[in-house]
Amino acid sequence: MRMTGDAADDDSSEEGDGRHTRMLQGITGMPSEAFEGKKKRKMKDDGIPELYPESEYNPSRDVVDGDGQISIDDLLNPLQDNPGFGKLRKRIQQIENNSKAIHAPLRTADQAKVERKAAYEISKKEVTKWQQIIQRNREAPTLLFDENIDLGFSTVGAIASEFEPRTEFERKMAALVSDDKVMEAYKKDGSRLLEMNTVSVEEEKDRQSRIAKMRSLLFRHELKAKRIKKIKSKTYHRLLKKDRLKTEYSKIQMDPEVAKEFAMKQERLRAEERMTLRHKNQNRWAKRILTRGLNSQDEGTRAAIAEQLQRHSELTRKMHSMKDSSSSSDGDDEDAGSDQDMGSKVLGKAIEKTMKVIQDDDETPKSGLLSLPFMRRGLEKNKAAAIEEANLALQEYKDSKKKLENSVGSEGPEATSISGRRVFGASKTQISDAGNKVKSDYNYGSSDSEDDLRASKNGNIETQRSNILQKDVNTDPVLIQEDTDNHQESVFKDFNEIVKNPGPKTTYEVSLFVSDTWKKAGNRDEKGTNVKKSAMPSGSVRQDRKDTEKEVEEDSDTDSEGQMVDRILTSGSKLSYELPSQEELIRQAFAGDDLEDEFEKDKMEILNAENPEPEKPVLLPGWGQWTHVQKKKGLPSWMLKEHENAWKKREEAIKKRKDAQLKNVIISEKLDKKAEKLHTKALPFPFTSKEAFEQSMRVPIGPESNPATAIGALNRPEVVKRPGVIIKPIQFEEVNPHEKPEERRGDKHRSKKNKGSGGRSMKKTSA
Amino acid sequence: MKVKVISRSVDDFTRERSQDLQRVFRNYDPSLRTQEKAVEYVRALNAVKLDKIFARPFIGAMDGHIDGVSCMAKNPTQLKWIFSGAMDGDIRLWDIASRRTVCQFPGHQGAVRGLTVSTDGRMLVSCGTDCTVRLWNTSADNIMELSNSTKNSVEPASVHVGKNAYLAVDHQWDSELFATAGAQLDIWNHNRSEPINSFQWGSDSVISVRFNPGEPNLLATSANDRSIMLYDLRMVSPVRKMIMMTKTNSIAWNPMEPINFTAANEDGNCYSYDARKLDEAKCVHRDHVSAVMDIDYSPTGREFVTGSYDRTVRFFYYNSGHSREIYHTKRMQRVFCVKFSGDGSYVISGSDDTNLRLWKAKASEQLGVVLPRERKKHEYHAAIKKRYMHLPEVKRIERHRHLPKPIYKAATLMRAMSDARKRKEERRKAHSAPGSVTTQPLRRRRIIKEVE
């Protein structure tokens, strides 16, 4: 609209004026005065002279034109003489110069539209200020929302400094605490206390060294314990346990307190055993073994079961018997070392008891099955035999007692040297070792049997006897060595025969013993083989030969390959015929096989596998064969065409293969289905090239392949926020658009360090 | 002779406590670890599978309303409180931690259609179809008092009665102004009984209003005439109007990008717009199979949640065309309102079945205190997942969701329809003179015009 006004100004020709004004009027719908006024002014400026003097007879041109309006000039003219006219005229001129056309108001709808448009422009401009911030945040690898969290006071001191007394009590306390007198007194007292606290340098050094020593001791002890704990050897631990028991035992003997404790412990164990019956084949393992049958188990298992049962019986034996045993053992210990004495005593006891048995057995039942005459006869026979054997045994006991007494002097050191430990491979003490072994085996055997024996009616006697046996074996290994097996067997026989009730249990025992002897036999065999090995010269010779061979081989190994080749060559040169040329050699070597043809075949096979030949077109059997028409026609044309197409396709595919032009190469174009899993079908969205995509996952980001300092940055998620922390909406801040992202990151670190200073837009959070 | 030996000082390798980690030195030379990439791929696969295993997003339902939940408001200063309004005029304050009603605000005679809380959390504004706007004092002390007292109800601080029903309300960030939408858009002050300003453009009623939290003077409304309108409180008039083919049910401004907002549309899509260029959407977020009823941005600005009439809640990234997650339960009916929690880790949905439901924003996120080593592990897993996301197996497992049958069928049908349309378009293009048939991109297709 303003434009139109300017256009009017530009138009200088007077003739066009009227028409132009009318046009303007038509377009804009504004009154013609708006344009007229300007025109008039222009005319005045032009200064065209009036033809007639101005009067009411000669009306001014305006009036003639029909424009008889009174202008400001008309009104001003009469005032020319008045004072202040100049001022007035100046002002009028000013107004005239500055005046513009006032437009008529638009329709409200249009007006609103214009307003809205303007408003939109303004608010658009206003909002655009966020562009930089948004850009930056979108490009940032990570958005941090957990910064600038005000957690309040971080230290106790800070909290305490902010403390204000609120309740009555607190106020009283505060008054007391902050009292001047109290403070002064405290200060003085404190200083005095400090004076009293002085420690000399020597004392401190002494203390430190003491502590250091203790620490090092502790450390060493710890190390040792760790090392020992790691040892896996069972033997070692068994020995360790034995040692421990020994020391405990000695302690018990030395210290009545410890003894008492031990007794208490034992008592508790017994009580526990009685309650839980833990060792009476209660656990799953034992039950399973029993259900499977004890006889079908191997040696070790049976031994273990027996041991368990023994332990049970030990723990549940009535107290008086235990006391007996303990007292007897005490008695033994009182005897202290004189094993022989103890042995003789035991033997004496055994003799007594056998005598008693012999005497007791005189009684015969007078009623029941056993009172029948033939039974009685049989019993008597048995008894007679038993008595005979008992007598024999008695004799033996006496013999052994005598021997025992005889071998007092020689036995001492031997007995001390004997320990429960087996020693292998010590050739010097082999014989005695064997004796030891036998002894120990006996021990095992007897201990195994003990339980069951005790279970039997007259258990006590048997234990005694077995003890005696042990002692016997213990005391003279020489004797055992003399008549190893026979003697043992006889002893066992005696033993068995002495036992009154020969039932399944005894057989079981026997089997146990037998197994033991078998074990021994095995041991002996081993020894024998050892001896054989050492004795036999042929074996060693063989070994030697082998060794030498090995050496030779090693030598040849150490030779370089060139030497090997040399050797071959020399061997070749030794031969009488002439050396053929290289080509000939090769021809000879590959005489039988036509490699080229084979390769061709292979290639064709692969080609066929990857681009299979199309099948020959055939009609379904029976279809269309009942008339001659079809037969004459042959296959339908579309089938033939398809077949032809398939052939063409195949040929093209073969031509397109990478190895089509390469004669001596096969390039497989088969797809690897497993590898396909590891490829994307198309390039994923944000990436623009294959290389970039592959680059993106080239370097592993795991903690195994990156230092700890780098992992954090590599694995940082896009948004870091903390649960429970309210995130406030963004607040505006100025952003330098030319700032580099690296600088910004550094900035971030800085702002992290001096918390609370940074007014980051995104990081406005509150706890 | 020079003998090379490894010399290590004992001090460097002695732990101070037995709980300390043993110091381990590694050679990071990649040539020593040729299989590392394969290992990481397998790890990524496992991580994705683990995510599936641990995906238990539903935390619990808040039961108490006796009519459909129509609107919710979160307290900007409190994480654990959320207000909800129901169709029967009931307003409740919920404690999210215990999932119980703290107190009720009775008074509305008709449905409550809008709820909002002032930025300082001291004032709750509610409006409804009973033509009233009610202001409630909800400062923390007051609430504590109310929850401790026996009657469990409260009197409104003030009630303003208007001529028409109010359909939505929203509060300006950090000020005393709030806007109600109904027959026209009214701007109110807490302390005045009359609106201080009214805007009207067109004769259809305004159904939703949302202030821009980043740029508090800007607000957007949607109206029944399928339009989205922008207002600037510094100007005397509305700013711009844009008409789409279908109605926009709700609008959410991105709190971290004050120039962008997303509109939840009746056609099941969400449209992200730049407020400066309304002639085309920046992004079209598709996946819902029915009208999207409500939308709310995560405070991080990186994702938003939508509740739909198809009984599902979906999560979208601010710049992705498809949802990253869908939540549904058998009992959840039409979802009318959704809200992100203030820390961006939970989502609350209110639905027609009178319940509010509390969800995790990340389905497989570990709740509770996460130890630094656990956190590092999670971060590593997330990183490798992101790295191998494009490989087919990982992608397949990650994208797989079990859908309710009706939604699955509807989605398939919609896909078939859109495919058919596309095909037809292509054929039409192929069979007509070049340049005579043009296709509008999806971002513009649903926009009818921009009105100045």
Side-chain angles (χ1 to χ4, degrees):
Chain A
M1 281 157 274
R2 216 167 287 163
M3 282 283 284
T4 54
D6 291 341
D9 276 340
D10 292 343
D11 199 351
S12 55
S13 69
E14 247 177 85
E15 296 123 354
D17 254 5
R19 249 192 303 157
H20 186 72
T21 319
R22 253 175 283 133
M23 186 195 75
L24 285 180
Q25 226 169 329
I27 290 169
T28 59
M30 284 163 78
S32 59
E33 284 91 319
F35 316 108
E36 291 284 3
K38 281 190 182 173
K39 200 181 78 187
K40 199 169 73 187
R41 249 185 288 133
K42 211 180 274 170
M43 277 168 60
K44 281 229 166 115
D45 293 340
D46 290 346
I48 298 167
E50 302 263 329
L51 288 174
Y52 309 101
E54 200 174 60
S55 74
E56 48 186 346
Y57 301 110
N58 293 324
S60 68
R61 195 173 155 181
D62 292 346
V63 177
V64 173
D65 287 351
D67 190 12
Q69 283 177 349
I70 297 165
S71 67
I72 293 172
D73 288 342
D74 296 340
L75 298 175
L76 275 178
N77 281 339
L79 299 175
Q80 263 180 4
D81 302 332
N82 290 9
F85 173 77
K87 246 186 194 175
L88 194 62
R89 213 178 62 175
K90 243 180 203 171
R91 271 191 68 191
I92 295 283
Q93 266 175 354
Q94 267 180 359
I95 289 165
E96 275 184 349
N97 285 338
N98 293 335
S99 72
K100 280 173 193 168
I102 296 164
H103 311 307
L106 289 171
R107 283 190 298 141
T108 44
D110 291 335
Q111 203 174 353
K113 198 174 176 181
V114 171
E115 264 175 27
R116 285 195 299 256
K117 202 176 170 187
Y120 185 49
E121 291 300 323
I122 292 169
S123 60
K124 235 170 148 178
K125 207 174 169 189
E126 182 70 21
V127 157
T128 309
K129 72 182 179 188
W130 292 97
Q131 184 76 42
Q132 297 294 339
I133 295 172
I134 290 168
Q135 182 86 3
R136 191 191 68 186
N137 287 334
R138 281 193 175 180
E139 282 168 1
T142 345
L143 287 185
L144 301 170
F145 292 109
D146 59 348
E147 279 179 349
N148 296 342
I149 300 168
D150 184 19
L151 291 175
F153 302 114
S154 53
T155 60
V156 179
I159 295 167
S161 69
E162 287 292 310
F163 175 75
E164 276 178 20
R166 277 168 302 183
T167 62
E168 196 92 334
F169 175 70
E170 279 175 358
R171 253 175 243 137
K172 268 187 191 174
M173 287 298 291
L176 275 177
V177 166
S178 57
D179 194 15
D180 286 342
K181 283 177 189 172
V182 174
M183 291 292 280
E184 209 167 298
Y186 175 75
K187 269 178 192 166
K188 279 181 181 172
D189 202 33
S191 61
R192 217 186 60 205
L193 278 175
L194 274 179
E195 275 167 23
M196 282 165 72
N197 261 351
T198 49
V199 182
S200 72
V201 179
E202 286 81 33
E203 266 177 43
E204 182 59 21
K205 267 185 183 171
D206 201 37
R207 201 182 67 89
Q208 275 179 355
S209 68
R210 196 153 22 91
I211 287 171
K213 200 185 269 174
M214 292 303 289
R215 268 199 196 131
S216 75
L217 268 178
L218 263 179
F219 177 66
R220 261 182 223 152
H221 187 75
E222 201 179 325
L223 274 189
K224 198 181 171 189
K226 261 185 192 167
R227 185 176 59 79
I228 285 171
K229 202 189 161 196
K230 271 195 180 166
I231 293 174
K232 281 181 182 167
S233 160
K234 276 183 181 172
T235 337
Y236 176 78
H237 278 286
R238 211 175 53 227
L239 287 177
L240 206 68
K241 200 177 167 190
K242 218 172 189 179
D243 272 356
R244 207 168 53 228
L245 284 178
K246 218 182 202 171
T247 50
E248 267 179 23
Y249 194 59
S250 63
K251 254 188 201 169
I252 286 164
Q253 279 166 16
M254 299 293 284
D255 194 351
E257 279 291 307
V258 177
K260 208 174 174 184
E261 246 173 48
F262 177 73
M264 289 291 284
K265 197 181 161 191
Q266 210 64 16
E267 199 61 21
R268 217 193 66 214
L269 275 181
R270 283 169 53 74
E272 262 177 15
E273 179 64 29
R274 264 181 276 132
M275 278 188 282
T276 58
L277 296 180
R278 193 177 150 209
H279 292 100
K280 189 141 196 230
N281 299 343
Q282 287 287 325
N283 57 0
R284 215 197 290 167
W285 171 76
K287 273 180 189 165
R288 186 163 155 269
I289 288 204
L290 288 181
T291 52
R292 283 177 141 201
L294 206 58
N295 290 334
S296 60
Q297 301 301 327
D298 67 338
E299 212 48 48
T301 323
R302 266 187 257 164
I305 285 267
E307 199 180 344
Q308 209 183 9
L309 280 174
Q310 184 206 345
R311 183 151 174 70
H312 172 74
S313 66
E314 259 174 25
L315 281 169
T316 52
R317 212 187 327 158
K318 275 195 175 173
M319 205 49 193
H320 62 86
S321 66
M322 168 134 173
K323 267 176 189 165
D324 281 356
S325 69
S326 67
S327 68
S328 73
S329 69
D330 281 353
D332 284 355
D333 293 326
E334 278 160 30
D335 291 348
S338 60
D339 264 357
Q340 312 82 3
D341 269 5
M342 189 182 68
S344 61
K345 232 183 213 173
V346 170
L347 275 175
K349 257 186 193 172
I351 290 162
E352 261 179 40
K353 291 221 167 147
T354 29
M355 292 296 284
K356 214 179 182 181
V357 168
I358 292 165
Q359 282 155 17
D360 281 355
D361 285 340
D362 285 346
E363 295 163 13
T364 53
K366 269 157 193 167
S367 64
L369 195 71
L370 294 176
S371 64
L372 291 171
F374 68 93
M375 287 299 282
R376 216 184 285 165
R377 251 178 278 143
L379 274 178
E380 271 168 11
K381 232 182 203 173
N382 277 350
K383 211 187 283 170
I387 286 167
E388 213 176 75
E389 269 164 10
N391 284 334
L392 260 174
L394 264 178
Q395 196 65 38
E396 255 175 30
Y397 287 152
K398 278 169 190 168
D399 283 353
S400 57
K401 206 176 173 183
K402 266 182 200 167
K403 267 175 198 163
L404 194 97
E405 279 157 11
N406 288 342
S407 64
V408 167
S410 65
E411 254 254 351
E414 274 274 356
T416 48
S417 73
I418 286 165
S419 66
R421 190 175 173 185
R422 290 187 194 193
V423 181
F424 293 105
S427 59
K428 233 186 179 180
T429 55
Q430 208 168 24
I431 297 161
S432 63
D433 268 358
N436 278 346
K437 213 169 283 165
V438 169
K439 183 217 79 183
S440 61
D441 282 344
Y442 276 129
N443 274 340
Y444 293 150
S446 63
S447 66
D448 283 347
S449 65
E450 254 174 10
D451 163 50
D452 291 324
L453 291 175
R454 272 184 206 130
S456 69
K457 213 178 168 188
N458 43 5
N460 265 342
I461 302 164
E462 262 102 33
T463 47
Q464 300 285 353
R465 266 172 209 160
S466 63
N467 278 340
I468 293 154
L469 255 179
Q470 280 179 38
K471 294 292 179 281
D472 200 6
V473 175
N474 267 333
T475 43
D476 48 1
V478 185
L479 192 137
I480 287 158
Q481 195 214 340
E482 276 174 5
D483 45 3
T484 43
D485 278 11
N486 291 335
H487 179 72
Q488 284 163 31
E489 239 108 87
S490 70
V491 167
F492 286 133
K493 258 181 206 163
D494 294 351
F495 195 69
N496 283 342
E497 275 154 12
I498 287 158
V499 173
K500 282 290 147 54
N501 43 353
K505 271 180 184 173
T506 45
T507 55
Y508 171 49
E509 284 156 27
V510 168
S511 72
L512 270 181
F513 289 130
V514 165
S515 66
D516 279 343
T517 49
W518 176 81
K519 246 191 203 168
K520 269 172 272 156
N523 285 335
R524 230 169 288 129
D525 279 356
E526 274 178 21
K527 261 173 250 158
T529 49
N530 276 337
V531 172
K532 256 185 209 164
K533 265 184 191 168
S534 58
M536 269 205 181
S538 64
S540 64
V541 168
R542 227 177 275 158
Q543 191 74 22
D544 283 352
R545 207 178 288 162
K546 264 183 194 170
D547 284 348
T548 49
E549 273 171 13
K550 253 186 198 169
E551 274 173 15
V552 168
E553 275 170 14
E554 277 167 13
D555 281 351
S556 67
D557 282 344
T558 51
D559 287 344
S560 65
E561 280 176 34
Q563 274 176 321
M564 291 281 279
V565 173
D566 280 351
R567 204 179 290 171
I568 289 166
L569 286 178
T570 50
S571 65
S573 63
K574 269 177 195 170
L575 294 174
S576 59
Y577 67 85
E578 248 178 65
L579 195 74
S581 71
Q582 194 74 8
E583 277 180 23
E584 243 174 80
L585 262 176
I586 287 168
R587 212 173 298 143
Q588 274 177 4
F590 301 105
D593 35 33
D594 193 354
L595 276 178
E596 280 182 14
D597 268 10
E598 258 180 35
F599 181 78
E600 285 282 303
K601 261 185 203 169
D602 281 352
K603 192 166 180 176
M604 279 313 290
E605 261 176 33
I606 285 166
L607 280 184
N608 284 333
E610 284 175 14
N611 311 80
E613 281 181 19
E615 283 179 23
K616 264 189 180 176
V618 276
L619 284 172
L620 279 178
W623 278 93
Q625 287 173 352
W626 53 284
T627 59
H628 293 285
V629 184
Q630 193 96 35
K631 271 186 185 174
K632 272 185 188 170
K633 267 189 177 175
L635 291 165
S637 60
W638 64 267
M639 257 188 197
L640 293 174
K641 206 178 173 187
E642 224 165 58
H643 184 68
E644 219 167 87
N645 278 343
W647 263 108
K648 270 182 195 167
K649 251 187 194 174
R650 177 176 180 267
E651 263 157 32
E652 267 175 32
I654 287 176
K655 265 183 200 169
K656 271 184 188 172
R657 282 177 65 97
K658 278 178 188 169
D659 55 357
Q661 304 298 323
L662 305 167
K663 218 178 178 186
N664 302 326
V665 182
I666 303 174
I667 299 173
S668 173
E669 289 186 349
K670 200 172 69 181
L671 276 176
D672 188 358
K673 277 184 184 171
K674 276 187 181 171
E676 212 171 355
K677 256 191 209 171
L678 304 171
H679 290 107
T680 55
K681 273 176 189 153
L683 196 65
F685 160 60
F687 300 100
T688 47
S689 74
K690 194 179 153 194
E691 285 74 30
F693 176 53
E694 275 167 5
Q695 187 77 12
S696 79
M697 40 191 204
R698 195 177 60 86
V699 184
I701 47 175
E704 290 89 353
S705 39
N706 289 296
T709 46
I711 291 171
L714 280 172
N715 296 345
R716 192 164 293 140
E718 277 179 7
V719 175
V720 177
K721 62 183 175 61
R722 209 176 280 183
V725 176
I726 295 176
I727 302 166
K728 285 187 175 167
I730 195 168
Q731 276 175 351
F732 184 70
E733 55 156 346
E734 287 295 337
V735 175
N736 180 10
H738 306 297
E739 197 181 30
K740 280 176 193 170
E742 282 84 15
E743 284 174 36
R744 202 161 56 72
R745 218 166 289 148
D747 198 347
K748 204 176 273 177
H749 279 294
R750 241 174 287 140
S751 71
K752 244 185 194 175
K753 269 172 198 167
N754 44 18
K755 256 186 188 176
S757 67
R760 299 235 135 241
S761 61
M762 300 298 287
K763 288 94 209 169
K764 273 282 169 179
T765 50
S766 74
Chain B
M1 194 176 73
K2 196 178 177 184
V3 182
K4 276 188 183 174
V5 289
I6 299 172
S7 86
R8 284 177 178 172
S9 116
V10 180
D11 295 338
D12 288 349
F13 288 85
T14 318
R15 293 178 297 169
E16 285 181 3
R17 285 156 294 183
S18 58
Q19 290 92 345
D20 287 354
L21 294 178
Q22 289 282 17
R23 203 158 173 198
V24 179
F25 286 93
R26 286 178 192 280
N27 189 346
Y28 297 117
D29 183 5
S31 63
L32 292 178
R33 296 157 192 280
T34 48
Q35 298 297 307
E36 205 67 357
K37 202 170 155 189
V39 166
E40 290 209 329
Y41 167 70
V42 174
R43 277 186 193 155
L45 207 57
N46 287 340
V48 170
K49 286 174 187 170
L50 280 180
D51 266 6
K52 284 275 151 207
I53 290 168
F54 291 124
R56 298 275 178 275
F58 182 60
I59 296 172
M62 290 179 264
D63 186 15
H65 279 299
I66 49 173
D67 207 338
V69 182
S70 59
C71 52
M72 288 189 298
K74 60 187 172 196
N75 188 332
T77 57
Q78 278 278 2
L79 266 183
K80 63 167 189 172
W81 283 345
I82 189 154
F83 298 93
S84 69
M87 292 294 194
D88 63 340
D90 187 19
I91 300 171
R92 277 166 187 260
L93 170 61
W94 300 90
D95 182 10
I96 293 175
S98 61
R99 299 203 291 278
R100 292 218 178 83
T101 306
V102 177
C103 63
Q104 281 172 287
F105 303 89
H108 276 288
Q109 302 299 315
V112 183
R113 298 312 298 262
L115 277 179
T116 188
V117 185
S118 65
T119 312
D120 56 3
R122 291 174 170 276
M123 195 65 84
L124 169 72
V125 185
S126 69
C127 67
T129 48
D130 59 349
C131 310
T132 57
V133 176
R134 285 163 198 263
L135 274 70
W136 314 81
N137 183 7
T138 56
S139 60
D141 300 337
N142 201 12
I143 295 292
M144 293 310 288
E145 229 170 73
L146 285 170
S147 61
N148 290 334
S149 70
T150 47
K151 60 175 183 174
N152 262 16
S153 60
V154 63
E155 293 295 314
S158 55
V159 181
H160 309 316
V161 183
K163 282 179 195 155
N164 304 94
Y166 292 104
L167 297 176
V169 66
D170 196 32
H171 208 285
Q172 194 179 15
W173 188 261
D174 260 344
S175 89
E176 287 199 322
L177 299 183
F178 62 90
T180 60
Q184 75 273 357
L185 180 74
D186 290 332
I187 311 295
W188 302 73
N189 191 312
H190 284 172
N191 307 320
R192 307 262 180 103
S193 60
E194 292 287 315
I196 55 168
N197 204 351
S198 283
F199 295 104
Q200 191 165 19
W201 187 359
S203 55
D204 284 287
S205 57
V206 183
I207 53 173
S208 79
V209 58
R210 211 56 92 83
F211 269 100
N212 187 343
E215 189 74 13
N217 285 318
L218 268 186
L219 68 157
T221 64
S222 68
N224 260 337
D225 60 351
R226 300 164 294 154
S227 67
I228 295 171
M229 278 180 277
L230 293 180
Y231 298 84
D232 195 331
L233 289 189
R234 292 163 295 198
M235 314 292 166
V236 287
S237 62
V239 170
R240 182 69 41 129
K241 182 184 200 169
M242 185 254 299
I243 298 173
M244 296 181 70
M245 279 182 176
T246 38
K247 195 169 80 175
T248 295
N249 286 320
S250 181
I251 289 172
W253 289 92
N254 189 333
M256 289 299 156
E257 297 175 359
I259 58 174
N260 296 332
F261 66 90
T262 305
N265 207 285
E266 192 79 6
D267 64 357
N269 297 345
C270 295
Y271 297 87
S272 286
Y273 287 102
D274 184 339
R276 301 167 300 171
K277 294 167 200 135
L278 291 174
D279 56 338
E280 74 164 20
K282 285 277 139 205
C283 188
V284 182
H285 312 273
R286 291 184 292 174
D287 263 354
H288 277 300
V289 294
S290 188
V292 187
M293 300 306 288
D294 198 10
I295 180 171
D296 191 35
Y297 257 96
S298 161
T300 60
R302 287 302 175 109
E303 57 185 1
F304 61 85
V305 61
T306 57
S308 166
Y309 206 68
D310 62 9
R311 301 178 201 145
T312 60
V313 172
R314 276 183 192 266
F315 290 82
F316 294 86
Y317 289 115
Y318 74 107
N319 56 0
S320 77
H322 289 277
S323 64
R324 75 158 168 86
E325 187 66 89
I326 175 170
Y327 291 168
H328 54 84
T329 65
K330 242 178 193 173
R331 297 180 179 198
M332 188 162 73
Q333 295 300 314
R334 320 290 182 194
V335 183
F336 288 142
C337 46
V338 283
K339 277 275 181 280
F340 248 103
S341 72
D343 62 346
S345 37
Y346 298 97
V347 159
I348 300 121
S349 70
S351 46
D352 208 7
D353 58 330
T354 74
N355 279 337
L356 272 77
R357 285 190 168 75
L358 182 64
W359 310 85
K360 285 195 269 183
K362 269 185 192 154
S364 55
E365 197 178 32
Q366 183 182 346
L367 294 184
V369 178
V370 180
L371 298 176
R373 282 170 82 185
E374 278 178 317
R375 187 174 50 74
K376 270 175 206 160
K377 191 86 181 168
H378 292 325
E379 279 176 4
Y380 175 52
H381 277 168
I384 48 174
K385 249 188 325 187
K386 196 179 147 204
R387 168 173 276 204
Y388 291 100
M389 177 177 63
H390 303 295
L391 294 188
E393 194 69 3
V394 177
K395 200 175 180 180
R396 183 184 68 79
I397 296 170
E398 202 194 3
R399 286 184 57 201
H400 181 261
R401 294 284 182 283
H402 175 74
L403 285 180
K405 208 171 200 175
I407 291 171
Y408 181 74
K409 280 187 171 170
T412 347
L413 185 67
M414 284 173 82
R415 206 174 306 127
M417 283 160 71
S418 79
D419 282 352
R421 228 173 287 139
K422 210 175 183 181
R423 213 160 35 225
K424 188 169 189 179
E425 193 90 3
E426 273 169 13
R427 285 182 184 158
R428 184 170 284 160
K429 211 184 238 177
H431 288 90
S432 47
S436 63
V437 177
T438 50
T439 41
Q440 285 275 70
L442 183 62
R443 300 187 292 166
R444 272 187 202 169
R445 205 178 293 159
R446 306 287 299 178
I447 298 170
I448 293 177
K449 65 172 174 180
E450 198 184 352
V451 183
E452 286 183 342

